Amino acid sequence: DSTGVANFMSTRLPVGANSITAAYSGDTNYAAAASTTAAVAIKASAAATFTNPLALHVASSTLATSCADPAIYKDQSGGADTWYLYCTSDALYPGDPNPHYLGIYKSSDLVNWTYLGNAFAGMPSWASINGASLWAPAIKYFNGQYYLYYAASETSLTGNGSAIGVGVSSTPAGPFVDHGSPVVEPELATNCCAGSYRSTIDPDVIQDASGQRYILFGSFAGGLYVRKL
């Protein structure tokens, strides 16, 4: 520069000890040719750490023990991010006496979570059968509403097979109101397992470039399926 100081920048040096040599060829205004070597130590970035399992706070002194089949949604409002977590309907803690219908938690940092309650007030009428539970939530936003898809492990429909339902809410915190009938009803498996109903579980929804939405579901008995919504 105008004071005769050489300025340079080096990038992509590996972690550990490095040696950098700067050479100056000299000219009529400054000193004769010279070079100098500097030892440079590059340190690894300090990684942020957290401990699994994450803290799912049910109450001030109680943590949830499980959040199977988690689905997550980030809401941006008022310049702040809030994340919502949706879980399969398990007991919140050992000895929990209360039934649950897809628990919802929220967080502002993705590490500490606070329990908000059940996504649904109870089992939908078409899935109200002894032993049935709500599984595998999938949260989506379109048409100005939040759609929570889920699997009902058993149903009161023909064959008592599993099915997929959906509830709607104006907020990701719920509560959600069930549609009143399945999105995907129980059906016999057509490619295996003669006489058995396919596993209509674990839903997810995607949208193509034209705006057409598809629901994907299934797993063991009968395999994987996709259909238009």
Side-chain angles (χ1 to χ4, degrees):
D1 62 20
S2 61
T3 67
V5 176
N7 299 281
F8 67 93
M9 181 185 296
S10 179
T11 60
R12 297 182 182 276
L13 292 175
V15 172
N18 291 268
S19 179
I20 299 175
T21 299
Y24 173 63
S25 63
D27 59 29
T28 58
N29 296 319
Y30 299 109
S35 67
T36 185
T37 300
V40 180
I42 306 298
K43 296 181 179 179
S45 299
T49 60
F50 62 89
T51 301
N52 273 324
L54 300 178
L56 302 178
H57 295 274
V58 177
S60 59
S61 60
T62 304
L63 297 180
T65 56
S66 171
C67 178
D69 304 327
I72 195 167
Y73 181 85
K74 183 173 79 170
D75 180 64
Q76 294 176 303
S77 59
D81 293 337
T82 302
W83 287 269
Y84 293 86
L85 177 67
Y86 306 83
C87 311
T88 276
S89 299
D90 291 328
L92 293 182
Y93 51 87
D96 181 5
N98 302 308
H100 294 284
Y101 309 101
L102 303 178
I104 305 177
Y105 299 80
K106 77 172 182 178
S107 172
S108 59
D109 61 9
L110 284 173
V111 175
N112 296 288
W113 297 86
T114 300
Y115 180 63
L116 298 181
N118 292 318
F120 295 96
M123 293 292 289
S125 58
W126 52 268
S128 184
I129 184 174
N130 187 39
S133 185
L134 305 184
W135 294 347
I139 183 70
K140 305 296 174 180
Y141 178 79
F142 49 84
N143 297 335
Q145 299 184 101
Y146 298 88
Y147 292 78
L148 188 60
Y149 294 86
Y150 62 88
S153 61
E154 298 177 72
T155 70
S156 55
L157 305 172
T158 301
N160 302 132
S162 57
I164 292 169
V166 65
V168 179
S169 176
S170 60
T171 167
F176 288 80
V177 177
D178 186 70
H179 174 66
S181 60
V183 178
V184 183
E185 69 287 347
E187 290 184 356
L188 289 168
T190 57
N191 58 343
C192 78
C193 325
S196 297
Y197 278 77
R198 66 188 183 190
S199 297
T200 307
I201 59 174
D202 298 346
D204 199 10
V205 173
I206 60 172
Q207 178 175 304
D208 66 17
S210 72
Q212 174 63 56
R213 296 184 185 91
Y214 299 84
I215 187 166
L216 300 93
F217 59 94
S219 67
F220 34 99
L224 301 176
Y225 294 84
V226 59
R227 66 164 60 172
K228 288 183 178 180
L229 276 179

